[in-house]
Amino acid sequence: MTITFRNETFRDDFTFRNSLYNIRRFPFPFDRDEYMYSVNMEPHVRGKKDSVFENLIDVDEHYVAEMQDRAMVLKEDPLRCQALPHMMAAQWDTLELLMEHQAQDYPEHFTLEKNGDRWRWINRPMGIDDTFTFGDPATLPYPPMEYITRQAQGDFCIVDQRDNNLWMDAGMVTTQADWSLDFDIGMNFMEWHGPVPLAHQIGVFDRALKFLLNLQQGKPTRRLNWTTTVNPRLDTSPENYPKWGPDRMTVTPDNVGEKMHLRVELQSLWRLPRSNAILFVIRCYLISLNELVTVPKWGRRLPRVLKSLPPEIIDYKGLTRNRPIMIDWLAKYDDGAVTSPGI
Ligand code: HEM
């Protein structure tokens, strides 16, 4: 399908919007009226046409604008992209995986031609046509992970596997929900998850780590995570907290529908073939409450979920001030119907 890429911003005048088509395919993350952390993982297999699961690496109408925003973040702060020296094989693995998926599923926008180690990559939306030698970083304008993740939606961490643990040893992280690659680089699975409340105590991270250590090549897995963001801002990093933190104080009952966004991360995990590392893709989707309530079952469910949250999760997700405003505004969309589990 040919995608019409939107000309829009995720900062300053915030012109980001979702088309009707994109609203319909938004990955609403709640399959019941309450929410608690769990090991919510499932095989990352193709899903329904016109859903975000149709292709395993999803490209949508925000692609070009997101890549422009990433370039701006990197210009201001190059440390959003880092790779430790032993991760070079994993970088090439990542380049191959993203090029192959984008070219296979969006042939009108991307082409990959392989002639032995001599590869030609064409990215039409971004006007790129490069020929390079796979395995030779000198033939690319950036190191391989940076090169391809400047051309792929979502944040990316590459974790190395050793000593029965996973280590965050490389990443491109410019659209994160308040955590820092520069802070986490070199940490292991339990260390970088240190700030998360409740989940350690109920064994979520022990089970998740065990599962991931056994992840097999060709059998990627996925989960959804969510938070909220004031304004459609992609870069809500700790580094830039002074830019976006004060936005939380600007939400009122009159503007909450427009300003408050549900931020959903479709996270997929891929075992990489040469390096045995794991690629962790965090694909971020934003939707304003105004857009969200156009789907009645989502408008009904979201206030119920927000009411159900334990105080620790409210605090961790930065919802303390604005949750009551959201619940009050959303109340009119809850008709009281009894619902059964399922999206
Ligand atoms: C949060 C990375 C896999 C569950 C986080 C955070 C990071 C992260 C950086 C933010 C922590 C902070 O506040 O500083 C990763 C990476 C993974 C991975 C690199 C794969 C290698 C998983 C898996 C699960 C999981 C498999 C569960 C099954 C969570 C939860 C949170 C979290 C529940 C809190 C999110 C929230 O409430 O918004 N993760 N994670 N993570 N992670 Fe992971």
Side-chain angles (χ1 to χ4, degrees):
M1 192 189 94
T2 300
I3 305 166
T4 307
F5 299 105
R6 297 177 81 89
N7 184 6
E8 60 190 357
T9 55
F10 299 90
R11 55 180 72 203
D12 304 323
D13 55 351
F14 295 112
T15 58
F16 165 92
R17 301 286 180 278
N18 285 298
S19 66
L20 194 57
Y21 176 78
N22 242 49
I23 293 174
R24 293 288 181 266
R25 74 198 290 277
F26 187 81
F28 188 74
F30 306 114
D31 65 355
R32 59 199 67 214
D33 289 347
E34 65 274 328
Y35 176 79
M36 180 51 185
Y37 292 142
S38 63
V39 188
N40 55 336
M41 293 204 275
E42 61 178 2
H44 189 36
V45 291
R46 284 181 191 275
K48 280 192 205 132
K49 189 171 163 355
D50 298 325
S51 79
V52 297
F53 306 115
E54 178 176 355
N55 297 314
L56 298 188
I57 296 293
D58 181 46
V59 177
D60 71 10
E61 63 190 15
H62 306 298
Y63 173 76
V64 173
E66 286 189 22
M67 295 303 98
Q68 287 166 347
D69 196 75
R70 164 157 295 158
M72 284 186 250
V73 174
L74 290 169
K75 201 167 173 199
E76 284 167 14
D77 183 0
L79 292 178
R80 303 298 190 85
C81 179
Q82 298 191 39
L84 299 184
H86 61 276
M87 298 302 280
M88 194 43 97
Q91 289 200 43
W92 285 109
D93 279 337
T94 299
L95 174 139
E96 179 184 46
L97 188 147
L98 293 175
M99 283 185 177
E100 284 190 339
H101 277 270
Q102 292 192 344
Q104 178 195 312
D105 291 328
Y106 304 92
E108 61 281 50
H109 300 302
F110 307 98
T111 303
L112 178 63
E113 290 167 9
K114 291 184 181 177
N115 186 1
D117 285 347
R118 207 66 192 147
W119 292 16
R120 181 176 178 202
W121 169 247
I122 305 171
N123 175 337
R124 291 179 196 85
M126 293 181 72
I128 293 170
D129 183 345
D130 283 333
T131 300
F132 61 96
T133 304
F134 186 85
D136 181 359
T139 58
L140 281 173
Y142 298 102
M145 177 189 70
E146 177 168 355
Y147 177 77
I148 194 57
T149 58
R150 279 176 176 267
Q151 303 176 51
Q153 280 174 282
D155 279 344
F156 299 85
C157 300
I158 317 181
V159 298
D160 195 27
Q161 181 161 334
R162 54 183 195 274
D163 305 332
N164 259 337
N165 213 327
L166 298 173
W167 305 83
M168 198 185 289
D169 286 348
M172 167 67 92
V173 180
T174 64
T175 66
Q176 68 270 49
D178 203 6
W179 67 276
S180 163
L181 173 70
D182 191 41
F183 185 73
D184 285 1
I185 190 104
M187 285 190 187
N188 69 37
F189 192 83
M190 293 303 173
E191 288 170 344
W192 79 63
H193 280 121
V196 182
L198 302 174
H200 292 270
Q201 292 90 312
I202 57 174
V204 163
F205 291 124
D206 285 328
R207 292 202 299 282
L209 176 60
K210 205 170 170 185
F211 180 86
L212 291 182
L213 290 174
N214 291 302
L215 188 67
Q216 288 174 30
Q217 201 194 317
K219 293 190 178 166
T221 184
R222 70 176 171 232
R223 64 184 293 268
L224 293 175
N225 186 47
W226 69 277
T227 187
T228 60
T229 304
V230 179
N231 296 323
R233 190 189 289 277
L234 282 178
D235 175 14
T236 50
S237 55
E239 286 87 344
N240 271 336
Y241 185 79
K243 289 188 188 160
W244 58 268
D247 289 355
R248 286 185 178 156
M249 308 303 287
T250 64
V251 178
T252 66
D254 289 333
N255 66 21
V256 62
E258 180 196 338
K259 271 202 174 258
M260 190 57 87
H261 289 70
L262 182 64
R263 181 185 191 108
V264 173
E265 296 174 349
L266 166 51
Q267 306 179 340
S268 57
L269 294 123
W270 308 70
R271 175 72 68 192
L272 298 175
R274 298 171 188 77
S275 55
N276 198 42
I278 291 177
L279 176 65
F280 182 63
V281 183
I282 310 158
R283 179 72 166 78
C284 170
Y285 297 87
L286 290 166
I287 191 169
S288 68
L289 293 193
N290 278 342
E291 290 172 342
L292 183 140
V293 298
T294 62
V295 179
K297 60 183 177 179
W298 298 349
R300 177 193 296 134
R301 179 156 281 168
L302 185 57
R304 299 180 184 186
V305 169
L306 290 171
K307 278 187 209 158
S308 80
L309 296 176
E312 293 87 345
I313 294 187
I314 295 171
D315 180 51
Y316 176 73
K317 289 187 188 281
L319 282 166
T320 308
R321 180 185 185 274
N322 294 324
R323 189 183 69 118
I325 302 176
M326 292 170 74
I327 292 174
D328 285 350
W329 186 85
L330 286 163
K332 56 185 171 293
Y333 298 98
D334 185 354
D335 58 6
V338 177
T339 61
S340 44
I343 302 276

